[in-house]
Structures are given as structure tokens and as C-alpha cells.
């Protein structure tokens, strides 16, 4: 691994720092909404910051110029993100759209559709969501039961009916991409079609899900005869699995790892909390062993990311080993948060940020970590990816590979 910037990277980092120093916000946006960034004040701040970055060429650095990007390399995007993180930037409600949805639209849609949507999304004027997960499908995207059928009037339009769930940001999204079942006579991976839809269509109903963290970032979405033009189709009919793979590959990179209070914050708290014998909790040998394990894991993750950054710097494409980051960090976030609340005893149940240590960071970790272990692929899915694509182990046996979807048991 090479930890040093090349001369070109150092020059780019200096350029980014100069721009951020002149343009980045100096204080966090006014907190409103339920903590997921959709309140009026937070959303306005987010859109303003996105527009500012887009105008300067920092919104989607690696996008090709014909999409409105700079055609830059991935390490430039990494450098900008690292420098931007030093400032109190507003929430990012554009991550799913710009990281997953719009690249899919730009890859498969016609030129008129790309011209219509890519620019506004890049500038933060419109927000997108990804409509994949369903109540009966679990982590199996190909088990989608939301159906799209041709309109009976011979217009060539499609009618979409069904339900999606765990859709992040649907309540404030303008558009979305949706995977639908169009051929129940084909095996589940071969009878899907992808469309883009208007989330303001009267046939679309969004119901936010109240999470135990207090937020409502996820949603149920219901479709009742939503009419879409055939021009809203992304890719060929019944070839939606191929289209969804493009989205899912982008999702693995966009979701990333866990954030929040880590081993260093835990160690500081342990110095200031009394253990069972009245001595600081940091003196407890069992606790120290756990802390050492978390430190080793954190260092391993850091250097795994450094290998990825080195690959990007050399113009190489990181492989499926990027799945390691989220699966390890999300589990550690949950373990560390749970242990912190146990250590804090009765004070661990406080959720008032003015009274709880680190403004409730450990409490937030406990409440948020389970969702992170699902978003962007469950632990089980990521373990399969690592086993099959990194370690070269045999793939899972699929007894339903050649079975028509209509003949599969309900819930599969």
C-alpha cells in the first residue's frame, strides 16, 4: 500500500481544500424533521450544498462529462470526500439517486430521458429512490412480486401494481426506479423488467415506517395501477435482472461502512464511568480485551480501505472485497454500542442528547446498527459474495434456477 499522495493527487487535494475553505458551511444546518434529513431546513441546506458542488464540478467527480460530471478518477472522489468530511456539511439525501438510480437511468435510458433527468439530479433539484425490496422477498431481489402488465387499450403502456418496503427516502423522492415481474412463466431471474416512475403519481402511496431510532427513513410503497409509458422502461423486457445488477454493484459502493462512536470514544467513556468495584470501567480486564479486539478490527478495516484507495490511485477497479468493510463495521458498531449501554448502566437508556454521553452516540449506534446490517445487502448476502467471489468457494445450490416463477411456493 502507498499512503502518500502522488504529485497529481497532492495538487488536487490542495485545490479541493482551497475551494472548501471558501465555500463549505461553517456550522451544521438547523436540525428539524426526525433526524433523517427530510425536514424543510435540512433539505434546503442539502440542496443548496449539492448545487454549489455541482457548479464547481465536485458533485459527481467520476461521472463522464456527457453526464455532467468531470470524467475524473475514483481517487479524486475519495480525496474530495475525505476533505469534505472535515466540515459540518448537511445530510445527503442524494446518495441513493446519484449513487445507484441515476447511473442506471444514464446507462439504459434513451438520450431524451438522460437529458431530462441527469442534470437536475446532479444539481440536487430532484431526488430519486430505489424500489427493490418486498415484504415476501427478503434479500432476494429476484423474488419480486410487484407486477407490470401491458395496458389493455393497446397503447403499449404498462400498469404497475404491488408493494415495496424498506425504501429509503421515498417520502421525499420525486422519482424512482422499480423492478417488476413481467413474465411469471419464466424463472425468477428471467421475468423481470425495470422502469423509472414518477413518485408523485396518484397511484403511488408512500407510508413512512417509524423506526426504533426515532427516525422514519424507510418506507412502505404501494402501487395501484400506476400507468407508465414504455419509454420509461430501462433495458429490454424481461431483462431487468441484468439492469438491476448494475444498480446493485453501485449500491455496494454507495452504502459504505458504519459511522459514529468507535473504540476511541468507548475508551474515553470507560475512563469516566465507574465499574462494579468503584474503579474506572477501563480497569476491567474483560472490557479491556473487548476494546483490544475492536481496535484490531478497526485497524484492519482502515487498511482494507487503504488497499482500495491504493487500487483506485493506480487506476484499478476494486473487487468484491469491498463487501468486507460493511459486514465487519456494521457488526462492530452494534457490538460496541450494546457494550457501551451495559457499561453506562441506567444512564444507557437516556436518549436526550444533552444528557447522554457523546450526545447519545452510543444509543444511536444501538438503534441504527440493525438497519445498517440490512441496507446494501444483508450480512448473509455479503458473506456469500465474499465466500464465492473472493475466496472462490462453491456457490449455493439453487433448486429454483429453472422453475417458472408462478410455480414457486408463495414467499420464495
Amino acid at each position: 500500500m502507498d499512503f502518500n499522495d502522488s504529485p497529481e493527487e497532492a495538487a488536487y487535494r490542495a485545490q479541493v481544500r482551497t475551494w472548501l475553505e471558501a465555500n463549505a458551511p461553517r456550522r451544521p444546518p438547523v436540525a428539524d424533521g426526525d433526524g433523517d434529513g427530510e425536514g424543510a431546513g435540512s433539505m434546503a441546506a442539502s440542496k443548496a450544498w449539492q448545487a454549489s458542488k455541482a457548479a464547481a464540478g465536485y458533485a459527481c467527480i467520476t461521472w463522464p462529462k456527457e453526464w455532467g460530471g468531470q470524467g475524473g478518477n475514483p481517487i479524486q472522489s475519495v480525496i474530495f470526500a475525505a476533505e469534505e468530511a472535515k466540515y459540518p456539511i448537511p445530510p445527503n439525501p442524494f446518495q441513493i439517486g446519484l449513487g445507484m438510480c441515476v447511473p442506471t437511468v444514464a446507462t439504459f435510458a434513451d438520450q431524451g430521458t438522460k437529458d431530462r433527468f441527469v442534470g437536475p439530479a446532479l444539481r440536487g433539484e430532484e431526488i430519486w429512490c430505489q424500489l427493490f425490496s418486498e415484504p415476501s422477498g427478503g434479500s432476494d431481489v429476484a423474488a419480486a412480486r410487484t407486477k407490470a402488465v401491458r395496458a389493455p387499450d393497446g397503447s403499449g403502456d404498462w400498469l404497475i401494481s404491488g408493494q415495496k418496503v424498506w425504501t429509503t427516502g421515498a417520502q421525499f423522492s420525486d422519482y424512482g426506479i422499480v423492478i417488476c415481474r413481467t413474465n411469471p412463466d419464466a424463472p425468477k431471474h428471467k421475468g423481470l423488467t425495470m422502469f423509472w416512475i414518477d413518485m408523485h403519481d396518484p397511484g403511488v402511496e408512500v407510508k413512512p415506517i417509524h423506526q426504533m431510532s426515532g427516525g422514519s427513513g424507510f418506507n412502505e410503497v404501494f402501487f395501484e395501477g400506476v400507468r407508465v409509458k414504455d419509454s420509461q422502461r430501462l433495458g429490454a423486457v424481461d431483462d431487468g435482472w441484468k439492469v438491476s445488477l448494475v444498480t446493485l454493484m453501485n449500491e455496494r459502493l454507495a452504502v459504505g461502512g458504519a459511522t459514529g462512536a468507535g473504540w476511541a470514544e468507548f475508551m474515553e467513556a470507560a475512563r469516566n464511568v465507574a465499574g462494579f468495584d468503584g474503579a474506572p470501567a477501563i480497569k476491567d480486564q474483560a472490557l479491556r480485551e473487548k476494546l483490544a479486539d475492536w481496535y484490531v478490527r478497526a485497524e484492519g478495516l482502515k487498511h482494507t480501505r487503504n488497499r482500495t484507495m491504493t487500487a483506485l490511485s493506480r487506476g484499478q477497479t476494486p473487487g468484491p472485497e469491498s463487501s468486507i468493510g460493511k459486514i465487519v463495521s456494521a457488526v462492530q458498531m452494534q457490538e460496541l454500542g450494546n457494550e457501551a449501554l451495559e457499561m453506562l448502566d441506567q444512564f444507557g437508556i437516556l436518549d436526550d442528547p444533552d444528557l447522554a454521553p457523546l450526545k447519545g452516540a452510543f444509543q444511536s449506534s444501538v438503534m441504527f446498527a440493525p438497519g445498517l446490517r440490512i441496507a446494501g445487502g444483508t450480512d448473509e448476502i455479503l458473506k456469500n459474495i465474499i465466500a464465492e467471489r473472493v475466496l472462490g468457494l462453491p456457490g449455493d445450490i439453487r433448486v429454483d434456477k429453472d422453475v417458472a416463477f408462478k410455480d414457486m411456493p408463495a414467499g420464495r
Side-chain angles (χ1 to χ4, degrees):
M1 291 182 289
D2 185 354
F3 295 96
N4 300 310
D5 285 343
S6 68
E8 293 80 10
E9 291 163 2
Y12 186 77
R13 191 181 297 275
Q15 171 190 319
V16 166
R17 285 175 174 171
T18 299
W19 185 82
L20 287 170
E21 179 64 26
N23 295 278
R26 298 295 171 181
R27 59 180 63 87
V30 176
D32 58 3
D34 60 12
D36 292 301
E38 70 266 28
S42 295
M43 187 62 73
S46 297
K47 289 190 172 186
W49 179 234
Q50 183 68 21
S52 180
K53 289 195 295 183
Y58 293 125
C60 291
I61 295 167
T62 60
W63 280 15
K65 293 184 177 180
E66 58 265 30
W67 291 8
Q70 294 299 303
N73 58 53
I75 195 63
Q76 289 177 328
S77 183
V78 169
I79 288 171
F80 183 84
E83 297 299 325
E84 181 189 32
K86 298 176 183 178
Y87 293 85
I89 57 174
N92 181 10
F94 316 103
Q95 181 179 10
I96 289 175
L98 298 179
M100 308 173 217
C101 305
V102 178
T104 303
V105 171
T107 300
F108 292 98
D110 57 57
Q111 190 60 47
T113 300
K114 288 189 283 189
D115 291 343
R116 162 63 184 84
F117 289 117
V118 174
L122 184 76
R123 296 187 294 271
E125 297 165 6
E126 295 171 345
I127 300 175
W128 288 68
C129 63
Q130 173 188 318
L131 299 144
F132 278 18
S133 298
E134 296 193 7
S136 63
S139 295
D140 189 357
V141 174
R145 293 180 176 275
T146 295
K147 64 180 181 179
V149 298
R150 292 285 189 178
D153 57 11
S155 63
D157 293 351
W158 297 83
L159 300 177
I160 298 175
S161 298
Q163 179 189 358
K164 300 292 181 177
V165 74
W166 311 123
T167 305
T168 302
Q171 71 270 53
F172 52 75
S173 291
D174 301 294
Y175 299 94
I177 58 173
V178 58
I179 191 76
C180 301
R181 178 71 49 193
T182 47
N183 186 358
D185 296 315
K188 64 180 181 180
H189 288 84
K190 298 180 180 179
L192 300 167
T193 305
M194 184 88 80
F195 300 89
W196 66 263
I197 64 168
D198 184 344
M199 293 297 291
H200 302 295
D201 187 285
V204 178
E205 181 183 9
V206 178
K207 293 184 176 181
I209 299 171
H210 185 73
Q211 300 156 222
M212 63 181 179
S213 64
S216 296
F218 303 132
N219 301 268
E220 293 180 288
V221 183
F222 298 87
F223 308 94
E224 186 62 46
V226 178
R227 192 180 189 104
V228 298
K229 300 288 187 183
D230 191 56
S231 58
Q232 293 176 238
R233 175 168 44 85
L234 300 173
V237 174
D238 296 340
D239 201 23
W241 179 248
K242 173 183 172 183
V243 181
S244 69
L245 287 178
V246 173
T247 309
L248 293 171
M249 284 190 294
N250 284 318
E251 182 179 34
R252 298 287 181 262
L253 296 174
V255 170
T259 58
W263 67 267
E265 289 79 9
F266 184 97
M267 185 167 65
E268 183 61 29
R271 288 194 181 109
N272 299 300
V273 172
F276 292 116
D277 58 359
I282 193 67
K283 299 293 185 180
D284 183 273
Q285 186 60 38
L287 190 63
R288 292 168 72 90
E289 290 176 2
K290 291 181 180 180
L291 188 56
D293 287 341
W294 295 330
Y295 169 77
V296 170
R297 271 193 236 163
E299 288 297 293
L301 286 172
K302 181 176 75 174
H303 294 306
T304 298
R305 287 192 292 268
N306 285 337
R307 283 200 296 271
T308 300
M309 292 175 64
T310 298
L312 292 172
S313 180
R314 294 171 179 168
Q316 301 167 356
T317 301
E321 64 274 6
S322 59
S323 297
I324 296 171
K326 191 181 84 70
I327 194 172
V328 175
S329 61
V331 171
Q332 174 144 319
M333 180 184 188
Q334 190 168 23
E335 289 180 0
L336 194 149
N338 282 324
E339 190 67 29
L341 296 200
E342 288 292 324
M343 179 181 69
L344 294 169
D345 197 28
Q346 70 267 32
F347 300 106
I349 65 173
L350 294 176
D351 63 2
D352 185 338
D354 293 327
L355 300 176
L358 297 176
K359 295 192 177 295
F362 295 125
Q363 289 87 337
S364 296
S365 293
V366 169
M367 298 299 183
F368 181 70
L372 187 62
R373 295 182 66 175
I374 297 173
T378 63
D379 290 358
E380 292 76 15
I381 292 294
L382 296 183
K383 285 177 180 177
N384 274 356
I385 291 173
I386 294 168
E388 297 173 13
R389 303 185 191 178
V390 179
L391 302 178
L393 299 178
D396 277 349
I397 296 174
R398 284 183 46 210
V399 297
D400 59 2
K401 184 175 182 180
D402 298 314
V403 178
F405 187 78
K406 68 178 182 180
D407 296 328
M408 292 174 57
R412 289 290 305 278

